[in-house]
């Protein structure tokens, strides 16, 4: 029986090699290149054109109406940005929210991945339960968290009182509003980071760990000198995904605080929304979006360089 199985595997291997050899000999079909044109057209229409149009309109002053035509003003919109305290504050709020969210999510996601990478009863069920927040609708969970943050009827203050702590204003406090919003983001997206880190852990080689254990390395030393360096590319990918997503967060912040109290939680996305749609200052709003796009691209390139660094 064993000989038959080995013979069958050898035949399958030979057939696969022959098939790949014949596939390479086939001439490329000239029409195959035409198949990518629909995707290119969609990208040009849906992504490239809006970006180019936004850059173009950022040099104009226009209220968006049909009566007044766009008026070319050059770099005045960009000069005004750096005299706009609300714009400067929105940059700070965006970086504060993003940095705090990503750092906590990477730390918690890595810790959860290390726990769930071990064999124990109920591990599959626990993984499934932890992924529920990722599948939830952002607006729905934002409405739920808004009720939980309520100083009068919110369950969070009730829990604080149960353990003997004084109630908090949460999103109604200018000093606590961004950390409170970070709490929502961490609750929703930490499982995604955990899933990415778990994939990285499952691909780690076993031999270095076996050698280190034989040499008497402790668990802390294994984590510090083996796991973390080997996981660095995976952690970089998770950080890149979460940083880009956190930078452009809109729905959660808008539903829970609308940028308030005052402008204490107003990020660049919210500020651009208010300028473009509520105040109808299209040219100035486009300059905000172009600046925001440059910031996101710069951070993305930086994280990619860090990931590739050895």
């Amino acid at each position: 029986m064993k000989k038959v199985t080995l013979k069958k595997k050898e035949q399958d291997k030979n057939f696969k090699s022959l098939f790949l050899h014949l596939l390479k000999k086939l001439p490329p079909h000239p029409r195959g290149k035409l198949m990518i044109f629909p995707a290119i057209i969609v990208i040009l229409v849906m992504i490239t054109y809006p970006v180019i149009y936004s850059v173009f309109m950022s040099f104009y002053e226009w209220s968006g109406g049909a009566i007044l035509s766009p008026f070319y003003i050059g770099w005045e919109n960009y000069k005004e940005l750096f005299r706009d305290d609300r714009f400067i504050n929105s940059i700070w709020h965006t970086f504060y929210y993003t940095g705090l969210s990503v750092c906590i999510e990477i730390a918690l996601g890595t810790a959860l991945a290390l726990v769930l990478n071990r064999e124990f009863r109920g591990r599959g069920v626990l993984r499934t339960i932890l992924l529920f927040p990722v599948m939830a609708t952002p607006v729905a969970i934002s409405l739920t968290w808004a009720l939980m943050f309520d100083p009068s009827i919110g369950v969070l203050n009730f829990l604080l009182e149960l353990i003997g702590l004084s109630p908090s204003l949460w999103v109604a406090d200018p000093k606590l509003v961004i950390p409170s919003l970070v709490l929502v983001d961490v609750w929703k997206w930490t499982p995604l980071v955990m899933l990415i880190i778990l994939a990285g852990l499952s691909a780690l080689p076993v031999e270095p760990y076996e050698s280190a254990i034989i040499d008497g390395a402790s668990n802390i030393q294994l984590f510090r000198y083996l796991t973390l360096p080997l996981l660095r590319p995976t952690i970089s990918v998770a950080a890149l995904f979460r940083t880009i997503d956190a930078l452009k967060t809109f729905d959660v912040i808008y539903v829970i605080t609308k940028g308030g109290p005052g402008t204490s939680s107003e990020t660049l996305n919210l500020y651009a929304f208010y300028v473009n749609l509520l105040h109808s200052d299209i040219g100035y709003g486009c300059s905000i979006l172009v600046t925001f796009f440059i910031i996101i691209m710069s951070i993305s390139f930086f994280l990619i360089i860090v990931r590739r660094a050895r």
Side-chain angles (χ1 to χ4, degrees), residues 23 25 28-29 33 45 57 65 74 77 91 98 125 128 154 157 161 186 200 210 229 235 254 256 263 298 301:
L23 192 62
K25 294 296 182 179
H29 201 289
K33 298 179 181 179
V45 173
M57 288 305 303
N77 283 327
I91 292 180
T98 301
V125 177
T128 305
N157 277 344
E161 292 174 356
V186 168
E210 293 176 346
I235 294 175
Y254 183 78
I256 296 178
T263 58
S298 302
F301 283 130

Side-chain angles (χ1 to χ4, degrees), residues 217-228:
S218 64
N219 289 332
I220 296 177
Q221 290 174 328
L222 289 175
F223 176 73
R224 180 179 178 183
Y225 297 108
L226 280 180
T227 305
L228 272 183

Side-chain angles (χ1 to χ4, degrees), residues 162-275:
L162 282 180
I163 59 177
L165 298 177
S166 58
S168 174
L169 292 177
W170 299 106
V171 292
D173 187 344
K175 295 181 180 179
L176 293 178
V177 59
I178 291 183
S180 300
L181 293 170
V182 167
L183 179 62
V184 182
D185 195 77
V186 168
W187 174 83
K188 180 170 176 57
W189 293 113
T190 297
L192 177 64
V193 176
M194 176 201 72
L195 204 62
I196 296 174
I197 303 298
L198 266 176
L201 285 172
S202 64
L204 294 183
V206 181
E207 292 79 9
Y209 289 91
E210 293 176 346
S211 302
I213 292 172
I214 292 173
D215 292 337
S218 64
N219 289 332
I220 296 177
Q221 290 174 328
L222 289 175
F223 176 73
R224 180 179 178 183
Y225 297 108
L226 280 180
T227 305
L228 272 183
L230 291 173
L231 275 180
R232 189 179 67 177
T234 306
I235 294 175
S236 300
V237 170
L240 177 62
F241 287 166
R242 285 304 309 133
T243 299
I244 294 174
D245 198 47
L247 280 170
K248 60 185 183 64
T249 300
F250 176 84
D251 41 16
V252 172
I253 301 176
Y254 183 78
V255 170
I256 296 178
T257 67
K258 290 183 172 59
T263 58
S264 300
S265 62
E266 187 176 74
T267 58
L268 276 173
N269 244 349
L270 265 72
Y271 186 37
F273 168 77
Y274 289 139
V275 171

Side-chain angles (χ1 to χ4, degrees), residues 13 26 39 71 87 135 140 172 192 215 236 269 294 296 301 303:
K13 185 178 180 180
L26 291 175
F71 178 71
F87 172 75
M135 296 182 286
L192 177 64
D215 292 337
S236 300
N269 244 349
I294 293 172
I296 292 178
F301 283 130
L303 291 174

Side-chain angles (χ1 to χ4, degrees), residues 1-10:
M1 182 67 181
K2 189 174 181 180
K3 291 182 178 179
V4 174
T5 305
L6 291 174
K7 186 176 180 181
K8 185 178 180 182
K9 288 183 179 179
E10 186 177 359

Side-chain angles (χ1 to χ4, degrees), residues 3 10 16 23-24 30 38 53 67 85 87 111 119 121 141 150 169 186 214 218 225 240 270 276 279 290 292 300:
K3 291 182 178 179
E10 186 177 359
K16 184 178 179 181
L23 192 62
K24 290 179 181 179
Y53 186 74
I67 299 176
D85 292 335
F87 172 75
E119 292 288 344
R121 181 176 295 179
I141 65 169
D150 190 279
L169 292 177
V186 168
I214 292 173
S218 64
Y225 297 108
L240 177 62
L270 265 72
N276 271 303
H279 302 296
V290 170
F292 190 29
S300 301

